[in-house]
Amino acid sequence: PPGKDWPCLPASPPDHVEGAAPVARFHHTLTLLPRREAAGDDSLALLGGHDRTISPLLDLRLFSLRHASLPRKASGVAAASVSVGWSSSTHVLGPAPSPRAFHSAAHYDHPAAGRGLLLACCGLGPAAGGEEVFAALDDTWAFDLSSGRWLELAARLPHGFARSRAALAVSRDRLLLAGGCRARAAALATYLPLTPGPVFDDVWLLDLRRGLLQSELGLRPAAV
């Protein structure tokens, strides 16, 4: 029966939700934040995507799993009484990445800072200084979950390697970016703006210990 293996969390009805639910979207990312980075609660970070008019979004929303328990009825189907909560990260300090969808995101626990960062890379959206709304992007950003600031990493992909729909992962202070699609052909810009371009078959590696400067995180340089 429906819901036996995939029970649905009723996050939209007002009687089950704390805080305003985010706007409906697709082509977004949902990243798990460990308990320490969410004030004692396991949380999910919802970032970007397209709204119903296919306009790119940027807003970052946190989905608390504090009361998201799923007690089962005798029939084995999950009960519907689940309490969940949304919080908004609208008070962002300083610069922020452009709205985007088809981007990639991952969590990084910075060893020196002792706190977590939400990493966002590439995607499809307006390029800096450009008018193209569905351009492939080549930038990488880190959101400091403690200070509420976005930090842009100086490292960018080389010219011609901007992409969307890539896979992103963190391993041993290294950020790995794999695959994705180039920007779609200019001839398809008007009537098929979301059509992916040629597919990449590459893997890129970024050392986060060098890419994230201590000064940007408000840390003192290590003693020599």
Side-chain angles (χ1 to χ4, degrees):
K4 180 178 180 181
D5 298 317
W6 277 92
C8 179
L9 297 181
S12 296
D15 56 337
H16 289 293
V17 115
E18 300 172 6
V23 64
R25 68 191 65 204
F26 59 112
H27 303 152
H28 53 277
T29 56
L30 193 65
T31 307
L32 176 65
L33 304 181
R35 187 177 301 273
R36 182 166 60 84
E37 277 69 40
D41 300 321
D42 290 328
S43 294
L44 299 172
L46 175 72
L47 177 64
H50 285 122
D51 65 13
R52 292 176 178 175
T53 65
I54 320 181
S55 297
L57 303 168
L58 176 64
D59 62 327
L60 171 62
R61 304 293 297 272
L62 301 181
F63 179 67
S64 173
L65 299 177
R66 181 174 62 254
H67 303 300
S69 59
L70 294 169
R72 291 188 175 275
K73 297 179 180 179
S75 62
V77 179
S81 61
V82 179
S83 177
V84 297
W86 284 103
S87 63
S88 175
S89 297
T90 54
H91 302 291
V92 176
L93 304 176
S98 61
R100 65 193 60 204
F102 287 125
H103 54 285
S104 309
H107 172 264
Y108 173 53
D109 192 8
H110 195 287
R115 58 183 183 265
L117 302 171
L118 177 66
L119 304 175
C121 183
C122 300
L124 204 65
E131 299 180 356
E132 175 57 68
V133 178
F134 300 106
L137 305 175
D138 60 0
D139 53 352
T140 302
W141 293 75
F143 184 78
D144 189 334
L145 297 165
S146 297
S147 66
R149 291 191 306 144
W150 280 105
L151 307 171
E152 183 176 11
L153 278 65
R156 283 179 174 262
L157 291 172
H159 178 71
F161 288 89
R163 67 192 63 204
S164 63
R165 303 169 175 89
L168 195 69
V170 174
S171 176
R172 297 183 180 181
D173 300 317
R174 304 293 197 275
L175 184 64
L176 292 92
L177 179 72
C181 298
R182 298 179 185 270
R184 47 87 188 105
L188 301 177
T190 303
Y191 59 96
L192 290 174
L194 300 184
T195 301
V199 179
F200 286 103
D201 61 355
D202 52 0
V203 178
W204 295 80
L205 184 69
L206 177 64
D207 188 342
L208 293 172
R209 292 171 298 181
R210 298 176 57 185
L212 289 169
L213 300 179
Q214 290 186 336
S215 60
E216 293 175 334
L217 296 172
L219 303 176
R220 294 181 179 180
V224 178

